[in-house]
Amino acid sequence: MADLPGGAYEHVVTHELARRLSELDTDLVQREALDPADADELLARHIAGLARRALRAVPGQGTDRTAAQVALTNRIAEAIAATLPRTADRADRTDLVAASHDVLTAIVPRPPAEHHLDGIDHRSAVRGWQLDRAPVPAPDQRNATATSACRRTCTRAR
């Protein structure tokens, strides 16, 4: 059965996939037209796969590789933006990856002012707790009240 195993699929038929399907018995292959109701999802998944392959193929290591991947991502985003009609409420570069090369991981609700006693960093406590990282180190006795208040707030946020 060529190199395509039997089973259910939901793949956009590319030129390569069409070639591979042509090697199979036509009675075994089921195809249907893209449904306009969900074509954008299937096509976006296809483009995402192409972008993933291109980003994984970027040579280099560490921050140099990351910078090259960000540059490639921005070139892809610019190519997509170039096909869209311009609107007055949309800036040209809003979807480009920022030069900071960072990822937003959380926006933590600010606890009431009484929870910020003796220099406890509430954001670090929540970050460690929410992302299942190592627990925040045990506080010394004078910070115990602030830490327990902070942990109560974190528990409610979950």
Side-chain angles (χ1 to χ4, degrees):
M1 191 171 191
D3 60 343
L4 293 170
Y9 288 86
E10 191 175 32
H11 292 284
V12 174
V13 178
T14 62
H15 291 286
E16 175 59 17
L17 182 55
R19 183 195 64 74
R20 292 166 62 193
L21 290 172
S22 71
E23 297 172 0
L24 300 175
D25 184 347
T26 56
D27 294 341
L28 302 176
V29 177
Q30 295 179 5
R31 294 167 69 166
E32 60 186 48
L34 274 172
D35 182 351
D38 65 353
D40 58 332
E41 292 296 324
L42 290 169
L43 295 169
R45 189 179 334 141
H46 175 67
I47 295 297
L50 295 175
R52 185 177 304 108
R53 274 198 331 240
L55 291 167
R56 285 182 178 159
V58 171
Q61 295 179 357
T63 57
D64 290 341
R65 181 172 191 245
T66 301
Q69 288 173 320
V70 167
L72 176 57
T73 299
N74 285 339
R75 285 196 309 274
I76 293 169
E78 287 172 339
I80 291 170
T83 68
L84 300 174
R86 301 277 186 231
T87 60
D89 62 334
R90 183 178 170 107
D92 290 345
R93 304 181 61 79
T94 58
D95 290 327
L96 299 184
V97 177
S100 59
H101 301 178
D102 55 353
V103 177
L104 174 65
T105 58
I107 297 177
V108 180
R110 184 180 309 278
E114 66 269 11
H115 290 200
H116 288 290
L117 303 175
D118 295 327
I120 295 295
D121 182 356
H122 177 73
R123 291 170 300 177
S124 295
V126 172
R127 187 179 310 114
W129 177 79
Q130 280 186 329
L131 299 179
D132 296 323
R133 292 184 182 155
V136 177
D140 62 19
Q141 193 59 32
R142 83 190 148 99
N143 288 331
T145 304
T147 301
S148 64
C150 181
R151 285 198 177 117
R152 280 195 307 274
T153 302
C154 296
T155 302
R156 280 182 284 181
R158 190 175 210 183

